[in-house]
Amino acid sequence: NSVWNRNFSPNFGLTLNLQHNRADNQSLLGLPKAGAQNAALVRDAQTRSWTGGLTLDGRVSRFNWTATASGERTNVLTLTDQNVATPSARDETRSRLTVGTGAVSLTGPAAELPAGPVTLNLTVGGETRDVDSETLRAGVAGRGNVSRQQADGRGNIDIPLASRRRAILPALGDLSINLNGGYSHLSDFKSVTAYGYGLTWSPLRGITLTGSYAAADAAPTASQLGDPLLVTPNALVYDYARGETALVTLTTGGNPLLRAEQRRDVKLGLTYVPQWVEGLTLTANYFRNRSTDPVANFPALTAIVASAFPDRLTRSTAGVLTAVDQRAINFLAARSEQLRWGLSYQKQFGQAGAGGGRGPSMAAMGGGRPPQASGRPMGGFGAFGGQGGRWSVAVYHTVKFLDEVDLAANAPTLDLLGGDATGQTGGSPRHSMELEGGWFNKGIGFRVNGSYQTGTDVRTAGPASSLHFSDLAVLNVRAFISFDQKRNLVQAMPWLKGARLVLRVDNLLNDIQDVRDQKGVVPLRYQPGYLDPIGRRIEVSFRKIF
C-alpha cells in the first residue's frame, strides 16, 4: 500500500493511493466419500487485486469541497476437488470484479439565521460495477455477468431554531432540526430512496437530547446477486432436526432473485457532560428497527427453517442431510429494539507539544479495528497529545428488548432472544459489553479493545438437539512506539525517522465459545478447531513514512 499527499495551497490538496493484495489459500476438505482415493480433497484459491484512489479537497468561499475517484480490479481463481469416485478434473471457478467510483461533496453555511448558520451538505456521485464469472463443474461450463451502473444524490441540512449563546429563544436552550434525503438509480434494479429527519435539543448546559427517524431502501449488492456458484464438498453443518452434525455438499454464491430491503429506524438519545468532572461523557441511545425483506445469510437449520425453505435442503432416503443451498435469502421481516448506554472518560497529563497538543488518533496508532463479538464497531476517541500524554477509557452496555424475524409467510416468528436462531453460533445475546481504552505519552502507547456477550440457548422440539452456546469474551491489545517522538533514537539511527513499531495481540484470553448439547457433549460442528482455529494471534508490524 502506498500513499502520496501534497497541499498545493491552503485551499487545495491532493492525495493519491495505490494498493495491491495477493492471497493464496489452501483448504483441506476431508476424505472423499467414494472411491479408492486416499488423499484429502483440496481447494486452492488465488486472489489478486489492485486498488487506486484519488482525493482532491479545497475551499471555495465559505464552502469546503471534496472530490474522490477510485478504481478496483480483483481476480479470483478457485480450484476444488470433486467428491466423486473417478474425478476427471477439478471444479474451476473464475470471477473478475471491476469497480469504478466518483463523488463530489460540498459542505458549508447556506444561509444565516438569527440562531446560527444553516449548514448544508450535498453529495453527488456514481459507480460502475461488473462481476464476470466462469465455472467448469463436472465438465459442464457456465458463464455469468452482473453489471450495475449507479448514480447517487444525497443532501443533508441542519437548521438552528434557538441559541443560548446568541440569546435567540434562550429559554429553550439550543435547538436545531435536521432533514436529509437520498436517491439512487440502479441500472439492474429498481431505483431506491432514503429520507430522514431529526431534532437536537440542549435544554441545559451539558445535557443534549436527540431524536431521529430514517427510512431507506437498500438493494442487494452486485456480488450478492451475481457471484459465481461455489460447491464445497464435506462441509460440516449442524442439523437441529436430527440433533447431529451432517457432512454435506454446500452451495454458495449469488442469488439473482433477491429483493430490495426496506428499513425504518428510530433513534432516541441522551448525552450528559457533567461540569464537575472534566472529560467525562455519559450517553444512552435507544434504537428501534423495522425491516421488510431484509437480505440475510441462509439461517441455521432448525425445524422451522427446514419447513420454510424445503427446496434448499436435500436428504437421503434415511432422512440424513446431504446437501444445502446456502445462498443469501430475503427474510419476510425483522424487528429489533435495544438500549446502548455507557460512559467515556479521557484525561490529558504532562505538557502538550506544539500545534495545540494534537497527535495521531487512537485508531491510527492502534492499527485498525479488531473483530468484535457483538459484530458492531466500537466508539472511538479523539486525538492524543503531542509531547504530552493522555489516557482514555470507554465502557458501553447493550441490552436487547426485542429481536424477532419472520422467515416466510408460512412460518412462525423466530424469537432470537427466546430460544430461536438464524446464525450458526446461537441466538441473539440479550446483554453485551464493549470496552476500549488507551494510554499515550511521548511516542509510546497502549490500547485495549474488548467485548463480551452473554450465552444463548437454542431450544428445539426435541431436547436431544437443543444446544447451549456459552458467553464469549474477546480482549485485544496493542503496544506501539512512534520513533519521531524519540529524538535521541532518531539522531543515533536516522533511518527510524517516520517509523512506527506495533505489537498486536488479538484474543489475548484465547477465549473460544463452548457449545454443548443437553448431554454435555460438544457436537463435531462446534469443536473449537472449527469455531476458531487460530485463537490467540500475535502480530508485529513495522511502518515507515518517507
Side-chain angles (χ1 to χ4, degrees):
N1 185 40
S2 60
V3 179
W4 181 78
N5 173 265
R6 183 173 180 180
N7 291 322
F8 294 95
S9 72
N11 294 326
F12 180 64
L14 179 148
T15 301
L16 289 170
N17 67 78
L18 181 65
Q19 179 174 316
H20 178 56
N21 288 301
R22 297 171 61 93
D24 294 290
N25 296 284
Q26 186 177 82
S27 305
L28 302 181
L29 305 177
L31 294 175
K33 294 181 179 179
Q37 178 180 340
N38 293 322
L41 300 176
V42 176
R43 166 175 289 160
D44 294 298
Q46 297 179 353
T47 302
R48 305 288 185 264
S49 67
W50 287 92
T51 305
L54 166 67
T55 300
L56 303 172
D57 58 78
R59 185 175 179 85
V60 176
S61 183
R62 302 171 65 185
F63 287 85
N64 295 319
W65 63 269
T66 302
T68 61
S70 66
E72 176 187 352
R73 171 64 67 89
T74 300
N75 293 288
V76 180
L77 170 63
T78 304
L79 301 173
T80 306
D81 288 339
Q82 300 178 40
N83 198 0
V84 295
T86 56
S88 58
R90 308 179 77 185
D91 282 357
E92 180 176 316
T93 300
R94 296 178 182 269
S95 67
R96 182 176 67 249
L97 172 66
T98 306
V99 182
T101 65
V104 178
S105 64
L106 189 69
T107 304
E112 189 71 28
L113 296 180
V118 176
T119 303
L120 177 68
N121 173 263
L122 295 174
T123 301
V124 293
E127 177 184 276
T128 177
R129 181 179 294 263
D130 293 287
V131 180
D132 293 299
S133 62
E134 300 177 6
T135 59
L136 181 63
R137 184 173 300 112
V140 179
R143 297 181 63 90
N145 173 266
V146 173
S147 179
R148 171 178 293 177
Q149 286 72 49
Q150 178 173 336
D152 301 304
R154 299 187 302 274
N156 184 89
I157 186 170
D158 290 297
I159 306 173
L161 302 178
S163 172
R164 187 183 299 109
R165 182 174 61 87
R166 294 194 177 196
I168 303 299
L169 301 176
L172 293 178
D174 294 322
L175 178 65
S176 66
I177 60 174
N178 170 271
L179 304 173
N180 59 82
Y183 175 83
S184 297
H185 175 73
L186 310 177
S187 61
D188 66 322
F189 213 84
K190 68 177 184 178
S191 298
V192 294
T193 59
Y195 67 91
Y197 47 84
L199 180 144
T200 301
W201 181 35
S202 176
L204 300 171
R205 296 185 185 277
I207 296 179
T208 302
L209 301 172
T210 59
S212 65
Y213 174 81
D217 298 334
T221 66
S223 294
Q224 288 174 327
L225 294 170
D227 271 355
L229 294 185
L230 193 63
V231 177
T232 303
N234 292 349
L236 294 178
V237 173
Y238 189 75
D239 183 6
Y240 284 93
R242 293 173 58 90
E244 63 185 17
T245 298
L247 208 60
V248 304
T249 300
L250 198 66
T251 300
T252 56
N255 179 3
L257 302 179
L258 292 175
R259 304 182 299 274
E261 176 183 357
Q262 295 180 336
R263 303 169 182 165
R264 302 294 183 264
D265 298 322
V266 174
K267 176 184 175 182
L268 301 174
L270 168 65
T271 301
Y272 176 46
V273 182
Q275 305 299 310
W276 39 274
V277 181
E278 183 180 0
L280 176 64
T281 300
L282 306 174
T283 61
N285 291 287
Y286 167 80
F287 301 91
R288 177 182 180 271
N289 168 263
R290 298 291 185 268
S291 295
T292 303
D293 292 330
V295 178
N297 295 326
F298 193 74
L301 295 178
T302 61
I304 296 176
V305 171
S307 63
F309 304 101
D311 57 326
R312 292 296 192 101
L313 311 178
T314 302
R315 296 183 182 272
S316 68
T317 55
V320 177
L321 192 65
T322 60
V324 178
D325 183 349
Q326 213 172 49
R327 291 177 294 166
I329 60 172
N330 286 101
F331 291 151
L332 188 65
R335 297 169 295 278
S336 66
E337 296 178 20
Q338 65 181 38
L339 174 69
R340 183 177 185 266
W341 66 281
L343 61 87
S344 65
Y345 179 74
Q346 55 182 352
K347 184 175 180 61
Q348 190 165 335
F349 58 88
Q351 182 179 0
R358 297 189 64 82
S361 68
M362 286 201 71
M365 296 184 297
R369 183 178 67 85
Q372 303 301 320
S374 62
R376 295 183 310 277
M378 307 212 300
F381 293 91
F384 269 45
Q387 295 300 321
R390 180 174 294 183
W391 65 271
S392 292
V393 63
V395 180
Y396 295 98
H397 170 226
T398 298
V399 55
K400 293 184 178 180
F401 308 112
L402 178 70
D403 199 350
E404 294 180 343
V405 170
D406 296 332
L407 287 178
N410 61 342
T413 297
L414 297 185
D415 181 2
L416 304 186
L417 295 173
D420 293 320
T422 56
Q424 305 299 323
T425 55
S428 183
R430 185 172 294 274
H431 297 275
S432 59
M433 303 281 294
E434 303 166 49
L435 166 69
E436 189 164 353
W439 178 93
F440 177 76
N441 188 34
K442 298 180 180 179
I444 298 177
F446 303 92
R447 182 185 178 201
V448 176
N449 186 304
S451 59
Y452 169 81
Q453 66 180 36
T454 53
T456 63
D457 290 282
V458 180
R459 295 186 288 271
T460 63
S465 58
S466 299
L467 295 180
H468 172 71
F469 295 78
S470 72
D471 56 3
L472 180 64
V474 178
L475 186 64
N476 311 290
V477 179
R478 308 285 185 275
F480 49 89
I481 177 170
S482 298
F483 291 99
D484 281 351
Q485 296 192 31
K486 296 297 179 182
R487 296 182 179 178
N488 293 336
L489 280 175
V490 173
Q491 289 176 355
M493 294 176 284
W495 59 272
L496 288 176
K497 182 179 179 180
R500 185 186 70 174
L501 181 66
V502 179
L503 171 65
R504 165 177 172 170
V505 183
D506 285 340
N507 196 4
L508 177 67
L509 304 178
N510 198 32
D511 193 19
I512 300 174
Q513 199 167 38
D514 184 62
V515 184
R516 296 182 183 271
D517 62 19
Q518 296 299 304
K519 297 179 181 180
V521 177
V522 179
L524 176 62
R525 165 63 178 85
Y526 293 107
Q527 294 290 330
Y530 290 116
L531 288 180
D532 188 354
I534 296 177
R536 184 184 298 111
R537 177 177 182 268
I538 301 174
E539 176 185 291
V540 178
S541 65
F542 180 81
R543 187 188 75 176
K544 179 174 173 60
I545 299 176
F546 294 91

